[in-house]
Amino acid sequence: MFELKPMLSALWRNKVAALLIAVQLALTLAIVGNASVIVDDRQDRIARPTGMAVEDIVSVTFHPTTSDFDLSGTVRSDLDMVRGIPGVVEATHTSHIPISGSGSSSDFYREPNQSSLDEETANVYYTGPEFIEALGLKLVAGRNFTPAEVKVFNPDDSYTSPVTIVTQQFADVMFPDGNALGQFLYTGKNDPIEIVGIVERHLGAWVTWSLAGNVAFYPALMDISFGRYVIRAEPGKRDQVLKQVEEKLAQRDSQRVIHIKTLSEEFDEGYAIDNLMVKVLSAVIIMLTFIIALGIVGLTFFWINQRRKQIGVRRALGATRANISRYFLLENCLIAGTGIAIGMAAAQVANHFIVSNYSQPALPLSVMLVCALILLGVSVAAALVPALRAANISPAMATRSV
């Protein structure tokens, strides 16, 4: 405590430099705190379970070139052929490829003739009874579709499937009491749709959608001008299956245009922005921390060079090396503590603005305190080498300096 008064006096004489470091620390904490929350949020989003065997799935989209195209017959014969390929676990048709960014949604109600205030939205897929096995989903309640329930329909027709399978998440949204199985959903057509099964999880088409995981499946095939398949391979055989599927589909109809991808590629593309943000913000955090460390090292060395004579006098009067090192470390902690205190307030203000305008996660106090402690540790570590250098200044050399 006896060093506090001369320390404050020395800082006051060099107030501009000390203030700049404090402000830099404050800005660094505000930026690093909020960036850390965003990075953590994006990493949690990327790490979410999809509910699907992503690493083993191949997706196929094809477009015929003839006008007399028979979608139903083509799908049936294609899938029979694909299922016979060695290494294929299951294959099914689908209206959209999961986690591809392309999909459709519908509004659902618990009762007919409900207002928009009571609606809930879900991603919708038209597929076959093989979709559970083809995607590697887990049926946790109820039953699968039967082949007889799969209907071929034109999107222009007024068709509503009488049955559906939904994800557990969407079942809980529609029926929070946990009694979704056997209940009925309604769309704008007011036709009842019975929930006959519940799968544990399916992330849906849009990984960045706030309602990702709200999914409903219908047993149907839309009679449109193109088709889509999802094919699940045995573990480790995906690339082999992909090559054979592409070759055999081309052999069956060399005129149609076939586009084939792995679901892993769809996953990476879906999270490309999140991954980029994680990398950019992580680089910003590292860069700012490095810059503040360099600033503290430079400022401490500058002050030591300015005070060589004073250090020598203190050494001559009996100050130990530990006293000298402690002095500069405490001085640095005082500056860092002031900057961090200001930064904590600035971080909360910045986070309030970000949450209000950009729907980003709030900054928890625990995260802010961890960031503050890390920056304080970086500050002390950065000042340690200059402080030890100051302790090695001999009284004779210091007193001979001008």
Side-chain angles (χ1 to χ4, degrees):
M1 295 299 293
F2 66 89
E3 293 179 329
L4 184 59
K5 186 175 180 180
M7 189 180 300
L8 291 174
S9 177
L11 288 177
W12 180 253
R13 289 194 300 271
N14 298 276
K15 53 183 175 293
V16 174
L19 181 61
L20 287 175
I21 291 295
V23 169
Q24 188 178 0
L25 269 166
L27 291 175
T28 299
L29 177 58
I31 295 171
V32 167
N34 285 284
S36 298
V37 171
I38 296 173
V39 167
D40 188 59
D41 178 67
R42 293 299 185 273
Q43 288 179 328
D44 286 346
R45 179 189 289 178
I46 295 169
R48 287 179 303 178
T50 64
M52 297 172 280
V54 173
E55 297 297 327
D56 303 322
I57 295 175
V58 172
S59 67
V60 177
T61 301
F62 66 88
H63 298 265
T65 56
T66 58
S67 57
D68 57 344
F69 174 66
D70 176 16
L71 178 65
S72 178
T74 299
V75 167
R76 185 165 51 251
S77 58
D78 277 350
L79 292 178
D80 286 342
M81 180 270 294
V82 168
R83 291 175 187 133
I85 295 175
V88 171
V89 175
E90 189 54 275
T92 189
H93 69 272
T94 181
S95 56
H96 295 92
I97 306 301
I99 58 178
S100 65
S102 173
S104 62
S105 63
S106 181
D107 295 329
F108 292 88
Y109 309 89
R110 298 172 186 83
E111 300 290 342
N113 301 310
Q114 292 293 297
S115 70
S116 59
L117 295 177
D118 301 310
E119 70 185 18
E120 301 289 351
T121 305
N123 189 196
V124 172
Y125 289 86
Y126 296 94
T127 187
E130 307 85 4
F131 84 99
I132 291 179
E133 187 70 15
L135 291 174
L137 304 181
K138 182 180 179 181
L139 186 70
V140 295
R143 64 171 177 85
N144 196 357
F145 299 136
T146 65
E149 290 173 325
V150 180
K151 304 298 181 183
V152 180
F153 74 99
N154 189 294
D156 296 331
D157 298 337
S158 179
Y159 172 77
T160 300
S161 172
V163 295
T164 185
I165 294 175
V166 300
T167 57
Q168 184 69 65
Q169 175 178 309
F170 188 51
D172 293 340
V173 168
M174 297 302 297
F175 302 97
D177 294 336
N179 59 342
L181 191 65
Q183 298 282 3
F184 291 89
L185 300 175
Y186 297 86
T187 62
K189 300 173 183 178
N190 288 325
D191 295 320
I193 307 169
E194 183 183 2
I195 298 176
V196 298
I198 300 174
V199 293
E200 182 179 38
R201 187 178 289 108
H202 185 289
L203 197 55
W206 311 287
V207 295
T208 58
W209 190 33
S210 61
L211 301 178
N214 282 5
V215 184
F217 302 92
Y218 294 137
L221 172 64
M222 288 196 297
D223 190 6
I224 51 181
S225 60
F226 61 91
R228 294 189 178 102
Y229 306 138
V230 287
I231 304 160
R232 181 182 167 200
E234 295 175 3
K237 296 184 178 181
R238 183 197 63 189
D239 294 341
Q240 172 188 332
V241 165
L242 183 151
K243 184 177 180 180
Q244 292 189 59
V245 167
E246 190 170 25
E247 291 176 352
K248 290 185 177 296
L249 287 177
Q251 289 173 3
R252 289 201 70 252
D253 183 356
S254 60
Q255 299 301 311
R256 60 180 166 178
V257 179
I258 299 173
H259 183 63
I260 187 166
K261 293 177 69 174
T262 66
L263 206 60
S264 295
E265 292 174 316
E266 301 283 10
F267 182 93
D268 292 340
E269 291 174 7
Y271 284 114
I273 294 178
D274 287 326
N275 276 311
L276 178 62
M277 183 172 290
V278 168
K279 292 176 182 177
V280 170
L281 290 181
S282 297
V284 168
I285 291 171
I286 294 171
M287 181 182 66
L288 287 176
T289 304
F290 180 68
I291 289 173
I292 194 65
L294 283 181
I296 291 171
V297 169
L299 181 63
T300 308
F301 269 124
F302 174 73
W303 282 345
I304 289 171
N305 288 330
Q306 275 195 329
R307 303 177 197 174
R308 289 175 66 85
K309 189 170 184 177
Q310 292 93 321
I311 295 170
V313 170
R314 290 195 62 190
R315 290 295 311 279
L317 293 175
T320 65
R321 286 186 172 87
N323 294 142
I324 301 299
S325 297
R326 185 182 64 181
Y327 177 90
F328 284 101
L329 289 175
L330 289 175
E331 187 175 69
N332 177 74
C333 286
L334 188 61
I335 298 172
T338 302
I340 287 172
I342 297 172
M344 292 178 72
Q348 289 298 323
V349 173
N351 185 251
H352 178 74
F353 174 80
I354 292 172
V355 170
S356 301
N357 294 277
Y358 300 102
S359 301
Q360 295 298 326
L363 175 59
L365 179 61
S366 57
V367 173
M368 188 169 60
L369 289 175
V370 169
C371 291
L373 289 174
I374 290 174
L375 281 179
L376 182 60
V378 169
S379 301
V380 172
L384 184 59
V385 172
L388 293 175
R389 182 77 60 86
N392 290 326
I393 295 175
S394 67
M397 184 179 294
T399 53
R400 285 199 303 267
S401 62
V402 179

